[in-house]
């Protein structure tokens, strides 16, 4: 079974559309996660810039080289303590939802934010109030997604109010809509306290969330002191044998997107993932 492998576009260091597309296609990849404001800031200077014409122009550039825009990344702090900033983020995400189909894409993705303006680890995120604020923001986004027949992809992470398999399952249960789906980033669920139990966490994720997973993020990590540090894929401790066994059984051909690996390591990370997947 072939692996459907892509990359986060802003890990390729160019802001030129044609060069970006060609650089990714030349690596033999099949898909991208595209954050317009990071990869193409001249084409998307900000809220209000999108139109069907611009979306089609960008979408066609990717599709002509056989690349799928698997996700539009529109990551923002959906519980930002400044209500003005929070509203700006929600409005920008909704704009992406409205035009996603014109990119040839059906998913717009984000994490769930932080009680602070900056995204940092704090156990304040794990209280009921931030969780309910996430429910409020995601509910608004999902209502917009339902109008346009597209998907809100939410990614859990230990720096956010949706920080575990269980809190993601609670969010899915409360917001009863299949226009809400899961972006699964296994490294984001790990901390110094639980990384030794990563296999059990992944099994639980596929058991509770597997039917709602639409995207897989490929990252890696090492332990330094009392922290997990991200490293290029293939240079760390993430158990890809376990993950790929789960993926092949439950989610064949899911878009696997390399995230946070930059040159000069992209080629060897691609080779590592292919080797692991084909085992």
């Amino acid at each position: 079974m072939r692996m459907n492998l892509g990359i986060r576009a802003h890990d390729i260091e160019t802001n030129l559309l044609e060069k970006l597309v060609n650089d990714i296609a030349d690596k033999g990849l099949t898909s991208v996660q595209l954050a317009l404001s990071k990869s193409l800031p001249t084409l998307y200077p900000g809220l209000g810039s999108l139109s069907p014409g611009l979306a089609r122009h960008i979408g066609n550039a990717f599709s002509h080289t056989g690349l799928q825009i698997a996700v539009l990344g529109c990551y923002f702090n959906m519980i930002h303590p400044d209500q003005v900033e929070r509203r700006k983020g929600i409005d920008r995400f909704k704009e992406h939802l409205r035009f996603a189909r014109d990119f040839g894409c059906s998913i717009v993705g984000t994490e769930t934010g932080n009680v602070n303006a900056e995204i940092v680890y704090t156990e304040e995120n794990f209280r009921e109030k931030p969780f309910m604020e996430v429910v409020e923001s995601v509910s608004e986004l999902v209502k917009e997604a339902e109008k346009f027949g597209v998907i809100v992809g939410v990614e859990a992470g230990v720096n956010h109010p949706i920080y575990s398999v269980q809190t993601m399952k609670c969010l899915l249960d409360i917001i009863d809509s299949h226009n809400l789906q899961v972006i699964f980033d296994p490294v984001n669920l790990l901390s110094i306290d639980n990384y030794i139990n990563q296999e059990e966490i992944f099994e639980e994720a596929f058991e509770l969330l597997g039917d709602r997973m639409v995207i897989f993020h490929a990252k890696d990590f090492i332990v330094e002191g009392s922290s997990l540090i991200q490293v290029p894929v293939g240079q760390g401790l993430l158990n890809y044998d376990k993950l790929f066994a789960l993926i092949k059984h439950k989610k064949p051909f899911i878009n696997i997107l390399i995230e946070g690996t930059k040159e000069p390591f992209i080629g060897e990370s691609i080779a590592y993932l292919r080797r692991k997947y084909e085992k």
Side-chain angles (χ1 to χ4, degrees), residues 190-204:
L190 302 180
S191 68
I192 195 68
D193 298 319
N194 70 8
Y195 78 93
I196 290 179
N197 305 318
Q198 58 175 294
E199 290 82 3
E200 292 92 325
I201 292 167
F202 302 156
E203 283 176 1
E204 183 181 38

Side-chain angles (χ1 to χ4, degrees), residues 24-25 38 83 93 119 121 127 146 154 159 161 178 192 239:
I24 295 169
K38 293 183 176 178
Q83 291 286 341
F93 196 99
I119 307 296
Y121 180 85
R127 299 180 185 275
E146 287 172 338
V154 170
N159 293 338
H178 283 283
I192 195 68
N239 188 337

Side-chain angles (χ1 to χ4, degrees), residues 75-76 78 109-113 119 153-157 160 185 188 219:
Y75 284 52
F76 75 107
M78 63 173 64
T110 185
E111 292 161 323
T112 51
I119 307 296
V154 170
E155 180 178 345
H160 305 269
D185 185 322
N188 274 14
K219 296 201 308 213

Side-chain angles (χ1 to χ4, degrees), residues 30-84:
T30 56
S31 57
V32 297
Q33 176 165 315
L34 179 65
L36 296 170
S37 59
K38 293 183 176 178
S39 284
L40 302 168
T42 53
L43 291 178
Y44 181 71
L47 179 62
S49 304
L50 277 185
S51 67
L54 176 60
R56 190 62 58 87
H57 171 71
I58 294 170
N60 284 345
F62 282 93
S63 63
H64 284 162
T65 58
L67 289 168
Q68 173 198 4
I69 300 176
V71 192
L72 287 174
C74 189
Y75 284 52
F76 75 107
N77 188 347
M78 63 173 64
I79 61 166
H80 198 294
D82 181 335
Q83 291 286 341
V84 174

Side-chain angles (χ1 to χ4, degrees), residues 58-244:
I58 294 170
N60 284 345
F62 282 93
S63 63
H64 284 162
T65 58
L67 289 168
Q68 173 198 4
I69 300 176
V71 192
L72 287 174
C74 189
Y75 284 52
F76 75 107
N77 188 347
M78 63 173 64
I79 61 166
H80 198 294
D82 181 335
Q83 291 286 341
V84 174
E85 287 302 311
R86 187 185 303 193
R87 176 47 50 189
K88 276 186 200 166
I90 288 171
D91 288 347
R92 195 164 64 89
F93 196 99
K94 288 165 82 169
E95 180 186 44
H96 280 61
L97 289 169
R98 290 193 286 277
F99 295 105
R101 290 287 184 188
D102 295 304
F103 285 91
C105 179
S106 62
I107 304 166
V108 184
T110 185
E111 292 161 323
T112 51
N114 199 283
V115 294
N116 300 296
E118 300 298 316
I119 307 296
V120 293
Y121 180 85
T122 170
E123 294 187 2
E124 291 298 310
N125 280 326
F126 306 160
R127 299 180 185 275
E128 185 177 10
K129 184 173 182 285
F131 177 83
M132 294 314 298
E133 288 185 339
V134 166
V135 169
E136 185 180 340
S137 291
V138 173
S139 295
E140 182 176 343
L141 300 178
V142 168
K143 285 190 179 75
E144 190 80 356
E146 287 172 338
K147 294 177 195 171
F148 292 90
V150 291
I151 289 166
V152 175
V154 170
E155 180 178 345
V158 294
N159 293 338
H160 305 269
I162 304 302
Y163 61 91
S164 63
V165 173
Q166 292 80 10
T167 50
M168 179 64 84
K169 183 71 168 72
C170 287
L171 183 67
L172 296 173
D173 289 345
I174 292 171
I175 302 175
D176 186 20
S177 172
H178 283 283
N179 294 76
L180 174 62
Q181 300 284 332
V182 175
I183 295 173
F184 180 52
D185 185 322
V187 172
N188 274 14
L189 296 174
L190 302 180
S191 68
I192 195 68
D193 298 319
N194 70 8
Y195 78 93
I196 290 179
N197 305 318
Q198 58 175 294
E199 290 82 3
E200 292 92 325
I201 292 167
F202 302 156
E203 283 176 1
E204 183 181 38
F206 275 82
E207 183 181 337
L208 295 181
L209 310 173
D211 59 332
R212 302 289 285 274
M213 287 180 191
V214 289
I215 296 291
F216 177 93
H217 279 168
K219 296 201 308 213
D220 217 332
F221 73 95
I222 57 171
V223 178
E224 273 189 12
S226 59
S227 302
L228 303 190
I229 306 296
Q230 191 174 338
V231 294
V233 172
Q235 295 184 20
L237 302 173
L238 198 70
N239 188 337
Y240 275 102
D241 292 323
K242 179 67 174 179
L243 284 163
F244 284 165

